[in-house]
Amino acid sequence: MIAVNPPSLGVVEGPLCYGRGVRRGVRVLAFDESGPGRIVEELGDAAEADHVAVVVPGNDNDLGNYFDQARLTRPRANAAILLEEMRRQAPTERVAVVVWVGYRTPRGFGEAVMRAPAERGARDLVRLTRFLPSSARVTLVGHSYGAVVCGLALSRARVDECVVLGSPGLGVRDRDALGFSGNLWAALGPKDWIRFFPRGYVGGVGHGPSPLRSGFGARVFTTGDIPGHCSYYRSGSESVRNIARIAVGRYERVSVVGGRSEPVPAVEVPGSVVA
C-alpha cells in the first residue's frame, strides 16, 4: 500500500483526495489534518467487497476525537460493530465498512439547523461512492446530521441503499426531491430526542420533514429497546442487526414496523461522473 498524503487544502471544506494508504496505523482512503481534520477509514477490504456500508456520522466528529472510543457518537467503534454484524449475517460473502468523517461536521445545535455543512459534505460523499468499486453494493448509513448529508448526496451518488438513523430530515421537502430510485430505509429509536427537532425548511435553515412521516416513502424498520439517540449501533440490538441485514441485501430478515419486510427488488441506480 502507498501512503496517502493529500496536498494542502487551504480550507477545511476543500475536496478530499481519495486513495488507499496507511496513516496512524490504520487503512485510510482520505486524510486531512487541516482545521479540525477529516478522515475516511476502511474496515475490511472495500476494494474486494461484495457489500460496502458507508457510515456517515453527525455533529461534533472530527480527526481530533476520531480515535476516542469512549465517546457516545464514536463512529469508528460503531463501524466495527456493524462490520462484525454484517459478517454474521452474510458469512460467505465479502463485506467492508467505510467510516466517513469526510466533512466539517456542525458544532452544537446552532450549526446543526443549517444545511450548508451538509451541502459541502455531500459533494465529497458523492466522490467517495464513485471511488468505491462498481461491482460492490453500496449502502449509505447516515446518523443524525449525517442523514442530511446522505440525503443531499443521493441524486448524484452511486448508491444502492440508504439507511437513515435518528434523522432530523434529509435536506429536502419530499422523497421526489432526493432524485434517488434506490431503497430508502429509516429508523427512530423509542427514546430518541430527535423526534422533537424542528421540521421547518426555509432558505438554508432546516432539513425538511422526517423520513418516517407517512407518505414520505421510506421503509421504517424497528430498533428494539435502544436507550437513546446515539445507540443505533449498539452491539446485539435489533437496530444494528437490521442495518447489517439491509447492507448485505437480506431484506426478508429485516423487521419492519407493522410486520416482516418483503424482499425488495434490486434497483440499478444510474449516475453521472462527478469531477
Side-chain angles (χ1 to χ4, degrees), residues 109-126:
F109 185 85
E111 289 190 7
V113 299
M114 310 300 293
R115 279 197 307 281
E119 290 168 348
R120 291 190 291 265
R123 293 192 287 269
D124 271 317
L125 184 55
V126 169

Side-chain angles (χ1 to χ4, degrees), residues 6 12 16 23-24 26 28 30-41 57 60-69 71 75-76 99-105 107:
V12 174
L16 284 170
R23 290 293 293 264
R24 298 191 181 184
V26 301
V28 296
F31 191 86
D32 169 27
E33 293 184 286
S34 64
R38 297 176 290 176
I39 183 170
V40 182
E41 179 183 2
D60 301 309
N61 289 287
D62 55 43
L63 182 58
N65 58 37
Y66 180 73
F67 294 98
D68 181 357
Q69 304 299 289
R71 299 178 69 246
R76 191 170 191 246
V99 197
W100 192 79
V101 187
Y103 72 117
R104 190 191 73 80
T105 64
R107 294 297 187 259

Side-chain angles (χ1 to χ4, degrees), residues 4 19 22-23 48 66 71 80 109 113-114 142 152 166 205 210 216 227-228 251:
V4 174
V22 176
R23 290 293 293 264
E48 299 294 330
Y66 180 73
R71 299 178 69 246
F109 185 85
V113 299
M114 310 300 293
L152 294 176
V205 179
S210 167
F216 195 90
Y251 306 123

